[in-house]
Amino acid sequence: MISDIVVVGAGIVGAACARAFAQSGCRVVVLDRDAPASGTSAKGEGNLLVSDKGPGAELRLAQYAASLWPGVAAELAEELGAEFPAIEYERKGGLVVATTGEGARPLLDFAASQRDAGVDARAVSIAEALELEPHLNPDMTAAVHYPDDAQVQPVIATEALLASARNHGADIRPFVAVTGALRDATGRITGVSTTAGAVPAGAVILAAGPWSGEVSAMLGERLPVRPRRGNVLVTTRMPHRVFHKVYDGDYFGATQSSDAALQTSSVVESTAAGTVLIGSSREQVGFDERLRVAALREIAAKALRLFPFLAGASIMRSYGGFRPFMPDHLPVIGADHRTAGLWHASGHEGAGIGLSLATAELLVAEFLGRAAAIDAAPFRPDRASLAPYLDEVA
Amino acid sequence: MKVVIVGAGPAGLAAALAARAHGASVTLLDAADEPGGQYWRHLPPERPSANERILHHGWQRFTAMRRALEADAGCEIVMGAQVWAIERSDAPAQARTEAPMPAAPVVVHVLVGPPDGTGRAGRTFRPDALVLATGAHDRTLPFPGWDLPGVFTAGAAQAFAKGERVAVGQRVVIAGAGPFLLPVAASLVATGARVLGVFEASRIAGLVRGWLPKPWQLIGAAKKGGELAGYVGTHLRHRIPYATGRAVIAAHGTDRVEAVTVARVDANWRPVPGTEQRIAADAVCVSHGFTPRLELPIAAGCAISSSRFVEVDEAQQSSVAGVYAAGEITGIGGVDAALVEGELAGHCAAGGSPGDPEVRRAAKARTTFTGFAARIEAAHGIRRGWTAWLDDDTLVCRCEEVPYGRFRETAAQTCGSGLRSMKLTTRAGLGICQGRVCGGTVEELIGGGPETAAGGLLDQRGVAATTDRRPIASPVRLGELAGGIGPTEPTEPHLSKPTVQKGHQ
C-alpha cells in the first residue's frame, strides 16, 4: 500500500498534522524513533500564548491557533469519550508583571503594540493585579492581563490528537527511525527508508522538532533548526494559590535572543493536578541533558520575586527539554523549495504546543491547494529571512 | 586526595575506613540521623539498648567501624545530609575556567539539616573521588488492599523493629520473595509479634535452582550461609510456617487490615484458582526484592547494566573515572558483599589498586560474591504472572491514586504508549515519591522492563528514559534553591590536603 503522507515525528506537531491530513482523506503513516509524545512535547508547560508575541507573523499564527483550540478541544472530548483522559484545555489567562522601575515602560509599550495587532492586552493597576493573583508580590511596577492565554496538558493533547488521527485511519508506528529518503529519477522524495523497511509516500512531512535538522540532513536537505534547552521545576501538590500564567517581563527578552548563554525569566502556573510549574530557562547547549544547578537556582530566585510564598514549596522534580530554535525566530511550515515531496513543520521553539493546530491547518491548505486562513508566506522555507541560514553548516 | 562518600551503611562505612587507611581525607554523607544504613538501623543514642547485638548481625563490627571513624580527625561524618543533585562538571558547553580539574568530574550538592526544618545549610563538594553507596529500598508489588493501614513494606516493619523496638502488629503475615523475608520474620519475633506465616512466592524448584546448586559457596566463604542458618534456627524455634509458591493476593478490612488471602501461585507467579485461603491478621509485611537507588549514579553519568545496577570494574570504579560504587547499587548481595565492595571502593578511590596487599582479602572475597546477586534473582526474581492478582480498583500508584483499571484503559486508548507519556497521561509515578514505589510496577505493566531487547522502554535513550532517572534526587525547597545564589554557600576547595597522612601514597 502506498501511503499518501508520511509524518516524521509523533510529537504534538506531528500528531496535529496526522489528524488534519487524515481528516482530509489522506492515508497517513506517522513514524517516530521513540514513543509518541516523548520528546519536546513531554518537556514543556503546555502554553497556548499570545502574551509573549509581538506584532508580526508569529502573533498572527498564535491568534489563529488560539481560535482553533476551543473547537478542537471540544471535538476531541466528544470523539474520544469520557474514558480518554481530558486534555485539560483551560483559557486561564496570563498576567505579565514588571518587577523593576525600568521594566514598566517597555512592558506597557509592548502591550499597546499588541493591542494594535488585535490582542486583548489589558494594562491593570497593582490593586487589580493583586485581585487576579492575591499571593503575588505587591512590589511590582506594572502589570498586563491577557485573558486569551490558555494551556493544555501537552502529552495528553498529543495522545488525543494521535488517537483521533488513528480513528480517521492514520497508522502510528513508534520506535521506527527514519534512515534516509526514497527518491524517483527526478530526485523527488517518494518516501523514507526506515529501521523497519521502506515506507513509500507522496509527501514526507518533517515534524521532528529540535531533531528536524538531523532528519532533514538524512533526507538530503539542510534545515537550520537547533536545540535550545529549557528547564522547568515542579513542586509537590499544594492548595491552589496561583490562578493565571504569571510571568515577569523579562520573558520577552529571553524569547527574542539568540545568545547561547543561560537566560531565565520567571513563568509560574498551577496545573490541574495541584502542582506548580516554575520555569524557565533557555540555553543553547546542544542536546546536553545534564542538570545544571546554576540554571535551577536562577529560575528559583526569579520565581520568588513574583511569589514569595513559594519559598517553602518543595521541588520534587525538574525536567529539561529541547525546543526547536530557528535563527530567524519563525517556525518553518510548508513545502521545501529545493526538493519536491519534502514538507516542513518544525522550528516552533517554545510555542509548538499552541501553534501545532495552526501549523497543521496551513500545511493541509497548501497541500490540497485550498485557501489558508492566514498568510503562510512568512513561514515558508524559501522566505528571505531564512535564506542566509540554509547554506550554513549545521 | 579528597574522597566524598555518599551513604553510611555497611558499604559506605567500609569505604570510609579504607580510604582513610590509604591516606585520603574523607567526607561521609548520609541523610539519616545515625550511621549504619538500613542494615544497622538502631535505637537513637538517647534511648540506648544493651541488646542491639541480638537484633543485629555484625553489630560489633559496626560499632568498631563507627568508633574508628568518629575518632578520626581526617574523616568528617555529616549526618542529616541530603544529596539533592549531582552535577557533571565535564559538560562540554561549560566554560573550563577553573584549573586544575578535579579527578571526578562531578559537583555534589548537599543540604544539611532536618528535611522538615527550614534552616538546612547548603554545601557543595568537588571531590577528587566520589564513592556512591546509596543502597536499595524495598520493592513491593501492588495487590488489592495493599493501601490499607496495617500493610507494611518488609523494610518498614524491619525499621520499626530495629529502630523503635515496635512490632507492626500482634498477628503478622509476611509475604513476598527473597531471603530478606527471613530476617524480617526474625526481627518481628524478637519484638514480640506472632508471625503467622512466611509466604515465599518462588517455588521449591526455583529455590533449588537458585540457591542450592552451590550451597558451600554461601556457607563456606560468606557469612550469608551462617546468617541464613541463624534465621532458619529462629524459625524452627518459634515454629513459623514457611511456605513457598504462595503469595498474599489480597488484604481485607474496612479501616485497617483484618485478614489476608493467600493463594498458591504457579512458576510465573500467577495465582492458582481455588487455592485461596483466608487468614485473620492485623498486619502484613511484604517485600518482593529491592530497588537499587540509582538516581545519583545516573546523575553522575555512570553506566547502568540491563539488570539495572551500576556497572563497576574490579576496583569498584564505575564507567566515570573517579566515581566508584559499592553495595546494593552494584547488585543485591547483602551485608558481607557490601563490606567487601566498600573496602575496595574506598581504597581505590583514595588512589590504591585492587592488587594492593592491604585489600587482598577483600579482592579475593569479592570474587566469591560475584554471581550471588544473579542467584538471588534467579531464585526470587519477580515473575510477570503477578499482574493476574490485580483488580481494577488496585492502586498502581499510591501517591497519585491511580487505579489499575484506569491505567489499563489509558494504555488501551493510547495504544500502550511510552513510559513518559503513560506517566504524564495517567499521573502514575508523578507523586511525591517520584516513582520510587511504583516505578518498576509501571514499567512492567506497560510491558517494557529492562529485559526488553528491542523497543519497549529501553529504546535509544536507554536508562535515561526509565523511572530511575531523577535529576532532583530529593525534594528541595524553592527558597533553599534560590538561597544558593551568591557567595553565601560554602564551597569546598577543589583539592584539599588530607588532614592525616597514613599508609603509603
Side-chain angles (χ1 to χ4, degrees):
Chain A
M1 179 178 113
I2 305 283
S3 311
D4 288 329
I5 304 284
V6 164
V7 178
V8 182
I12 194 156
V13 175
C17 291
R19 177 175 187 262
F21 276 90
Q23 281 183 325
S24 311
C26 297
R27 281 172 298 175
V28 175
V29 173
V30 182
L31 307 175
D32 198 298
R33 66 173 179 182
D34 214 318
S38 59
T40 304
S41 301
K43 308 287 174 66
E45 302 101 317
N47 286 332
L48 318 179
L49 303 187
V50 291
S51 59
D52 64 336
K53 294 167 186 75
E58 200 194 3
L59 177 61
R60 286 194 294 278
L61 191 61
Q63 288 169 311
Y64 176 37
S67 73
L68 296 172
W69 271 104
V72 171
E75 281 167 33
L76 290 172
E78 189 184 331
E79 178 189 335
L80 301 174
E83 301 80 47
F84 204 96
I87 69 169
E88 298 171 15
Y89 171 76
E90 190 189 355
R91 193 171 149 274
K92 63 183 354 186
L95 186 67
V96 183
V97 174
T99 57
T100 61
E102 58 272 26
R105 196 69 257 159
L107 171 61
L108 295 172
D109 290 347
F110 186 75
S113 71
Q114 289 175 308
R115 273 195 298 277
D116 292 342
V119 175
D120 188 358
R122 306 175 185 177
V124 293
S125 67
I126 306 303
E128 288 168 322
L130 288 171
E131 232 165 82
L132 292 168
E133 286 294 339
H135 300 283
L136 195 60
N137 185 353
D139 189 18
M140 58 188 131
T141 55
V144 181
H145 180 213
Y146 295 84
D148 290 333
D149 276 359
Q151 79 175 25
V152 290
Q153 209 275 21
V155 171
I156 301 178
T158 305
E159 292 286 6
L161 289 166
L162 286 172
S164 172
R166 223 180 261 119
N167 288 346
H168 289 90
D171 176 10
I172 321 289
R173 301 185 196 166
F175 305 112
V176 176
V178 169
T179 55
L182 308 177
R183 288 171 189 273
D184 67 12
T186 68
R188 181 192 171 85
I189 289 183
T190 57
V192 288
S193 56
T194 75
T195 49
V199 184
V204 175
I205 297 174
L206 187 45
W211 296 276
S212 284
E214 233 171 85
V215 185
S216 190
M218 249 186 271
L219 301 178
E221 288 298 355
R222 195 160 277 161
L223 187 72
V225 180
R226 287 205 302 268
R228 202 182 209 200
R229 181 169 165 174
N231 268 303
V232 177
L233 302 172
V234 187
T235 70
T236 52
R237 288 177 172 206
M238 60 173 80
H240 216 66
R241 289 168 80 179
V242 180
F243 303 95
H244 300 76
K245 290 170 171 284
V246 181
Y247 315 88
D248 72 40
D250 298 344
Y251 194 75
F252 309 112
T255 48
Q256 299 307 317
S257 169
S258 58
D259 188 355
L262 166 67
Q263 299 163 334
T264 59
S265 61
S266 210
V267 184
V268 181
E269 66 187 292
S270 304
T271 67
T275 60
V276 174
L277 305 183
I278 300 167
S280 68
S281 56
R282 289 154 193 277
E283 311 164 74
Q284 283 186 349
V285 290
F287 288 107
D288 185 349
E289 277 198 285
R290 293 178 281 194
L291 171 120
R292 282 184 62 195
V293 168
L296 305 188
R297 291 202 189 290
E298 250 193 74
I299 295 172
K302 290 196 173 172
L304 291 184
R305 281 218 306 262
L306 289 181
F307 288 105
F309 85 88
L310 287 174
S314 213
I315 304 299
M316 61 176 175
R317 70 175 169 272
S318 76
Y319 55 90
F322 300 102
R323 286 117 183 217
F325 171 81
M326 294 296 287
D328 62 349
H329 300 289
L330 284 174
V332 55
I333 302 166
D336 193 290
H337 54 293
R338 301 158 296 181
T339 295
L342 176 61
W343 295 65
H344 295 284
S346 291
H348 300 80
E349 213 198 326
I353 305 299
L355 301 181
S356 58
L357 298 182
T359 299
E361 289 305 320
L362 291 187
L363 271 189
V364 168
E366 186 179 341
F367 190 81
L368 298 178
R370 292 181 191 157
I374 63 167
D375 180 15
F379 312 110
R380 292 215 176 97
D382 63 353
R383 64 191 183 235
S385 58
L386 197 57
Y389 304 99
L390 289 181
D391 299 322
E392 180 183 83
V393 176
Chain B
M1 276 300 266
K2 171 89 185 166
V3 176
V4 166
I5 298 166
V6 183
L13 290 168
L17 277 175
R20 287 295 301 133
H22 203 64
S25 75
V26 167
T27 302
L28 178 59
L29 306 170
D30 196 290
D33 295 332
E34 294 284 323
Q38 300 292 328
Y39 188 78
W40 286 317
R41 189 189 279 264
H42 54 278
L43 285 178
E46 59 273 19
R47 289 189 284 135
S49 162
N51 300 321
E52 293 285 4
R53 69 189 60 199
I54 293 171
L55 275 172
H56 290 282
H57 296 270
W59 183 249
Q60 279 172 320
R61 173 137 192 209
F62 166 63
T63 50
M65 288 167 74
R66 178 183 181 164
R67 276 190 199 123
L69 289 170
E70 285 175 344
D72 181 350
C75 177
E76 185 194 9
I77 303 174
V78 188
M79 301 309 296
Q82 279 284 355
V83 178
W84 65 271
I86 289 182
E87 196 175 8
R88 290 180 64 181
S89 54
D90 59 347
Q94 209 169 0
R96 298 195 180 198
T97 48
E98 67 267 92
M101 282 292 286
V106 291
V107 183
V108 182
H109 295 272
V110 185
L111 285 163
V112 184
D116 49 350
T118 49
R120 290 197 292 181
R123 289 183 68 177
T124 305
F125 298 89
R126 294 169 187 268
D128 297 309
L130 174 66
V131 178
L132 297 172
T134 48
H137 58 258
D138 290 69
R139 170 91 197 269
T140 302
L141 299 176
F143 52 86
W146 76 309
D147 51 328
L148 279 171
V151 179
F152 297 87
T153 67
Q158 180 85 328
F160 272 117
K162 282 187 174 182
E164 305 290 334
R165 294 294 187 278
V166 173
V168 293
Q170 302 289 306
R171 298 166 51 81
V172 186
V173 166
I174 297 172
F180 187 52
L181 300 181
L182 304 174
V184 171
S187 293
L188 285 171
V189 167
T191 45
R194 181 163 168 224
V195 175
L196 302 174
V198 175
F199 299 99
E200 159 72 54
S202 304
R203 297 159 86 226
I204 301 276
L207 291 177
V208 168
R209 199 167 55 244
W211 281 95
L212 298 186
K214 296 178 180 172
W216 59 88
Q217 283 194 355
L218 297 171
I219 294 162
K223 289 201 211 74
K224 202 86 203 168
E227 207 177 285
L228 196 62
Y231 293 134
V232 172
T234 309
H235 277 250
L236 288 176
R237 264 205 313 283
H238 297 276
R239 302 197 186 287
I240 301 168
Y242 180 82
T244 59
R246 282 180 178 76
V248 166
I249 61 164
H252 315 279
T254 43
D255 299 323
R256 56 166 297 118
V257 170
E258 290 158 19
V260 296
T261 297
V262 172
R264 292 180 70 90
V265 293
D266 67 15
N268 200 29
W269 288 22
R270 182 177 287 275
V272 178
T275 64
E276 297 87 355
Q277 175 196 356
R278 200 172 164 111
I279 300 173
D282 61 0
V284 52
C285 305
V286 273
S287 165
H288 296 92
F290 293 92
T291 305
R293 296 182 206 267
L294 292 178
E295 48 273 81
L296 293 181
I298 289 172
C302 303
I304 307 295
S305 70
S306 59
S307 47
R308 295 291 179 94
F309 294 108
V310 182
E311 287 181 353
V312 289
D313 62 14
E314 70 281 359
Q316 297 293 133
Q317 185 169 227
S318 75
S319 63
V320 179
V323 178
Y324 297 77
E328 308 296 60
I329 56 173
T330 65
I332 303 302
V335 63
D336 298 307
L339 286 166
V340 161
E341 291 163 4
E343 183 180 344
L344 279 167
H347 177 79
C348 297
S353 144
D356 291 340
E358 60 266 47
V359 290
R360 187 179 297 134
R361 278 175 56 185
K364 186 163 175 288
R366 182 181 182 273
T367 61
T368 311
F369 294 116
T370 307
F372 183 76
R375 287 208 300 283
I376 291 185
E377 173 61 27
H380 303 281
I382 291 169
R383 303 292 185 264
R384 289 294 169 86
W386 70 269
T387 55
W389 70 54
L390 295 175
D391 64 29
D392 279 355
D393 297 328
T394 310
L395 294 183
V396 167
C397 166
R398 288 164 68 160
C399 299
E400 293 288 319
E401 301 189 339
V402 181
Y404 179 54
R406 173 147 52 94
F407 186 90
R408 221 176 27 182
E409 180 74 27
T410 300
Q413 298 270 352
T414 60
C415 294
S417 240
L419 175 65
R420 188 168 174 84
S421 174
M422 277 301 286
K423 283 169 64 181
L424 285 157
T425 311
T426 64
R427 299 201 60 78
L430 291 183
I432 184 69
C433 90
Q434 287 292 290
R436 285 177 176 85
V437 174
C438 67
T441 294
V442 169
E443 290 181 16
E444 276 172 31
L445 290 179
I446 293 173
E451 63 272 44
T452 307
L457 300 168
L458 290 187
D459 46 78
Q460 299 157 6
R461 297 180 57 238
V463 77
T466 69
T467 53
D468 291 323
R469 184 173 182 272
R470 297 178 191 96
I472 293 198
S474 74
V476 49
R477 285 204 178 72
L478 204 64
E480 293 169 331
L481 198 49
I485 286 185
T488 51
E489 183 179 27
T491 297
E492 305 298 312
H494 296 185
L495 296 165
S496 58
K497 287 204 166 118
T499 48
V500 181
Q501 284 279 3
K502 271 197 286 192
H504 50 90
Q505 194 72 18

